[in-house]
Amino acid sequence: MYVPPAFREDRPQAIHALIEAHPLALLVSTGEDGLTANPVPMLLDPSADVLRCHLARANGQIGELRAAQAAGREVLAVFQGPQAYISPGWYASKAEHGRVVPTWNYLIVQVRGVPRVIEDADWLRGQVGALTDRHEAGLADPWSVGDAPDGFVAAQLRGIIGLELPLTRVTGKWKASQNRPAADRAGVIAGLEAAGDAMAARIPAPEQSQ
């Protein structure tokens, strides 16, 4: 991924926060037919620097993941955070000289690691339970895996394969108008806020240094 210095994000806490807030990753691997990409919800264990997830046993990508594990070859997980079109009409510099163009702001994290395919039933039960608890938390009437009959849960677990992906290489890119003058950033914030876009909160305030 192309990351100019102004947009590089290396803080582990910021990267972990984006992954936890936007856990549906695009999991990308390679095989004989080229690239395969599947959206997969992932759970981050920051203490172990590892992502955990599961895929349907019938998913053809599992063969590619097994091959990558055997070869020590990395796969890629992409986490896309807030994003927004940025109009040059929002820039103060448009009125000053007119030398402005549209762009796109976004926050993104790419994780590369050698996958570990897991078929252990206890591991799968724990992973599914942890993922469910994470996303049911805060609901008025949270559902848990234990609410379903044991036999049904066991049958469902036989239909999935687990995956661990270590955070071997992590790249964070926060493209949030950091390279623009303070007056332009103020205009971007105002434009996004008027549109009700959450990306507004990600733009450095005009008083902050670039």
Side-chain angles (χ1 to χ4, degrees), residues 11-83:
R11 296 172 299 162
Q13 64 271 27
I15 289 169
H16 291 173
L18 185 139
I19 290 173
E20 291 174 349
H22 303 274
L24 185 65
L26 187 64
L27 179 62
V28 184
S29 58
T30 59
E32 293 181 357
D33 295 329
L35 293 171
T36 300
N38 279 297
V40 182
M42 295 192 176
L43 192 63
L44 172 67
D45 181 351
S47 65
D49 274 345
V50 67
L51 294 163
R52 298 190 176 102
C53 64
H54 63 272
L55 297 85
R57 186 176 289 272
N59 190 326
Q61 189 171 27
I62 291 173
E64 297 179 1
L65 297 171
R66 291 188 191 279
Q69 178 179 349
R73 185 173 64 247
E74 293 180 330
V75 298
L76 173 69
V78 181
F79 297 87
Q80 176 69 61
Q83 51 81 30

Side-chain angles (χ1 to χ4, degrees), residues 32-205:
E32 293 181 357
D33 295 329
L35 293 171
T36 300
N38 279 297
V40 182
M42 295 192 176
L43 192 63
L44 172 67
D45 181 351
S47 65
D49 274 345
V50 67
L51 294 163
R52 298 190 176 102
C53 64
H54 63 272
L55 297 85
R57 186 176 289 272
N59 190 326
Q61 189 171 27
I62 291 173
E64 297 179 1
L65 297 171
R66 291 188 191 279
Q69 178 179 349
R73 185 173 64 247
E74 293 180 330
V75 298
L76 173 69
V78 181
F79 297 87
Q80 176 69 61
Q83 51 81 30
Y85 170 79
I86 305 301
S87 169
W90 295 339
Y91 294 152
S93 54
K94 173 183 178 292
E96 296 172 8
H97 51 67
R99 297 188 298 274
V100 292
V101 295
T103 191
W104 211 280
N105 278 355
Y106 54 87
L107 278 59
I108 193 168
V109 170
Q110 293 187 352
V111 176
R112 289 173 172 81
V114 177
R116 175 174 173 250
V117 177
I118 302 171
E119 296 199 54
D120 180 77
D122 290 337
W123 187 98
L124 288 166
R125 175 63 176 78
Q127 193 275 329
V128 169
L131 184 66
T132 300
D133 292 346
R134 163 69 176 81
H135 295 289
E136 289 283 332
L139 297 183
D141 185 18
W143 181 88
S144 69
V145 175
D147 291 341
D150 290 342
F152 173 79
V153 172
Q156 294 298 303
L157 293 178
R158 288 193 292 272
I160 62 175
I161 297 289
L163 180 71
E164 285 191 336
L165 186 65
L167 278 66
T168 305
R169 291 197 291 158
V170 181
T171 305
K173 185 175 182 180
W174 267 224
K175 186 175 181 296
S177 299
Q178 302 98 315
N179 60 329
R180 303 300 308 181
D184 284 359
R185 296 203 306 275
V188 169
I189 292 171
L192 290 171
E193 286 180 341
D197 198 306
M199 188 69 200
R202 300 293 191 153
I203 309 301

